[in-house]
C-alpha cells in the first residue's frame, strides 16, 4: 500500500517536531541546575520525542502492521495493536 502525499508530509512534520524537541532537551540537559530542578520533565521530553518518531514511522510505512510490531516502546505498541487489528478487520 502506498502512502499519500499528506501521510508522507505528516510523517515529515512529526520528524521535524521530534528533532526540535530533541534539540531543546539536549540544550536544557547541559544546565545542571535545570536538570536537577526538572529532570523528570526532561525525561518526558525525550519520551514524547520517541513516541513522535514511532508514529512518524508508522504513518510513513507501507506495511503498517510491521511498523507497529517494530515499535520498541511496549506501552505505545500495546495501544496501537488493537487499533491496527480493528482497521484490518474492517478492511476485510
Amino acid at each position: 500500500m502506498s502512502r499519500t502525499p499528506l501521510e508522507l508530509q505528516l510523517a515529515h512534520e512529526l520528524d521535524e517536531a521530534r528533532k526540535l524537541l530533541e534539540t531543546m532537551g539536549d540544550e536544557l540537559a547541559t544546565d545542571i541546575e535545570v536538570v536537577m530542578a526538572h529532570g523528570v520533565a526532561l525525561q518526558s521530553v525525550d519520551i514524547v520525542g520517541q513516541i513522535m518518531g514511532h508514529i512518524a514511522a508508522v504513518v510513513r510505512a507501507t506495511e503498517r502492521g510491521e511498523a507497529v510490531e517494530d515499535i520498541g516502546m511496549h506501552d505505545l505498541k500495546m495501544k496501537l495493536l488493537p487499533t491496527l487489528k480493528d482497521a484490518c478487520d474492517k478492511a476485510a
Side-chain angles (χ1 to χ4, degrees):
M1 174 191 289
S2 64
R3 297 291 123 221
T4 67
L6 176 60
E7 289 169 318
L8 294 174
Q9 188 63 40
L10 287 169
H12 173 76
E13 294 301 327
L14 283 167
D15 283 333
E16 291 301 309
R18 181 190 52 78
K19 290 175 191 174
L20 288 171
L21 277 175
E22 184 178 318
T23 299
M24 180 192 67
D26 288 348
E27 186 174 322
L28 292 173
T30 63
D31 184 330
I32 192 66
E33 290 178 11
V34 171
V35 173
M36 295 297 290
H38 306 286
V40 173
L42 287 172
Q43 288 177 334
S44 294
V45 168
D46 181 55
I47 291 168
V48 168
Q50 290 178 48
I51 291 169
M52 291 173 74
H54 289 305
I55 292 171
V58 172
V59 170
R60 185 181 299 108
T62 55
E63 293 296 327
R64 288 189 171 161
E66 290 178 18
V68 170
E69 288 291 341
D70 288 343
I71 292 174
M73 299 177 82
H74 181 76
D75 289 348
L76 179 61
K77 183 189 291 188
M78 293 302 105
K79 289 175 186 176
L80 296 178
L81 282 173
T83 306
L84 182 64
K85 183 184 177 318
D86 290 345
C88 290
D89 289 347
K90 288 178 183 175

